[in-house]
Amino acid sequence: MESQTNTATVEHAATAEHNRAAFEKVWKKVMPHPRHDSPIILNEEVPAEEPPATYAKAAPTTPNVSAATTPTVPNVSAMPQVTTPATNANVLAVTSAPTTTKVAASYEIACLGNQAVPYGSHLQAFIMEELRNCHLYRSMACRMQGRRANTLRTLGTDAQQHAARLSAAYFILSGVRYWPTQDSSCCTSERYMVFLRTQFLSEQQRAAAYRETASATQDACLRELLNDLADECDSHTRILRSLLEQVMQ
């Protein structure tokens, strides 16, 4: 009886070992790599699962710079100074800055200034002569008709404008308005032909006086004014000569 029991035990152990071997063979196909959390652990030694790797932050290391590789820093004070170009605003600020300059007391005005002052009496005489001729032309025009009267009135208007230009120059020099009035004694009663001859000579004499004074003065503006009036007097002489030629026909 005991032998039968031993035999049965051996057979049972053999059967269990065979079954276990068959299970291990199948299990290895299902789970080729053993895991620690598997519900079935075979007899073979299961390697323990490696803990997750932790990476510690490495402290920054200062590179070792040798003296040979260290760059040399230039001295700022020894470097040349770079000047930035001025902007438009700076240029405008510089150019628009008022410059205070002292005007010398002996500064002379170029136009109708100190050099023209000595000729104030000449201007007075010229003004009176032009106004006189203005009244003479207009007085004779009242005695004439048609084209002759119009021509004489034009000559009178020109003489009045000459007086006005001379009076303006005199006012700039002296600050005094010089414009004398003419009385009735300046009106002419001469015959027409004699009047034309007298005015023809008078215009020539006045043109010569203007040019003489212009050549004597150093003032450019006064010289230009007198030369202009001399040229207009020359044109008057041509007009008067033409009027005389018409009378002679």
Side-chain angles (χ1 to χ4, degrees):
M1 187 68 181
E2 184 178 358
S3 61
Q4 292 180 351
T5 303
N6 292 334
T7 302
T9 303
V10 171
E11 292 178 353
H12 178 73
T15 303
E17 184 67 24
H18 175 75
N19 292 339
R20 183 174 181 280
F23 177 79
E24 287 182 357
K25 185 177 181 180
V26 175
W27 180 254
K28 287 182 178 180
K29 291 182 179 180
V30 176
M31 185 68 67
H33 303 288
R35 295 168 53 100
H36 71 282
D37 56 349
S38 175
I40 298 174
I41 301 176
L42 301 178
N43 290 336
E44 297 179 359
E45 184 176 355
V46 179
E49 183 177 2
E50 297 179 359
T54 58
Y55 301 94
K57 292 184 179 180
T61 59
T62 304
N64 185 14
V65 181
S66 61
T69 60
T70 304
T72 58
V73 180
N75 188 5
V76 178
S77 60
M79 294 177 65
Q81 298 296 326
V82 179
T83 58
T84 57
T87 60
N88 293 336
N90 293 335
V91 173
L92 292 177
V94 172
T95 56
S96 61
T99 56
T100 57
T101 56
K102 274 191 174 181
V103 180
S106 60
Y107 180 79
E108 294 185 358
I109 300 175
C111 183
L112 296 176
N114 298 335
Q115 295 179 345
V117 171
Y119 299 93
S121 59
H122 294 72
L123 294 178
Q124 291 180 349
F126 290 149
I127 293 171
M128 291 186 64
E129 185 66 17
E130 290 290 352
L131 290 176
R132 178 177 177 275
N133 280 277
C134 172
H135 288 284
L136 288 175
Y137 283 123
R138 289 178 176 177
S139 176
M140 182 57 70
C142 294
R143 299 172 56 185
M144 306 302 295
Q145 294 179 355
R147 184 179 298 176
R148 295 177 181 177
N150 293 333
T151 302
L152 293 175
R153 290 192 186 94
T154 300
L155 293 175
T157 301
D158 290 346
Q160 186 178 24
Q161 291 178 352
H162 294 177
R165 295 180 66 183
L166 292 167
S167 181
Y170 183 81
F171 180 79
I172 294 175
L173 289 176
S174 63
V176 177
R177 183 178 184 273
Y178 185 77
W179 193 262
T181 57
Q182 296 292 328
D183 54 18
S184 59
S185 62
C186 68
C187 297
T188 181
S189 59
E190 295 178 294
R191 295 177 57 182
Y192 180 63
M193 292 180 59
V194 177
F195 172 80
L196 294 179
R197 178 180 179 273
T198 303
Q199 291 303 114
F200 178 82
L201 299 174
S202 176
E203 293 286 352
Q204 288 190 36
Q205 292 173 356
R206 196 157 51 255
Y210 284 146
R211 289 192 174 95
E212 182 180 359
T213 307
S215 62
T217 181
Q218 298 298 321
D219 189 278
C221 292
L222 181 59
R223 185 188 310 115
E224 181 182 3
L225 172 61
L226 297 177
N227 285 327
D228 288 345
L229 296 180
D231 293 340
E232 292 188 15
C233 288
D234 289 339
S235 67
H236 289 178
T237 58
R238 290 191 292 269
I239 294 174
L240 293 170
R241 182 178 177 182
S242 176
L243 291 176
L244 275 171
E245 291 173 353
Q246 294 173 13
V247 174
M248 296 301 176
Q249 295 179 0

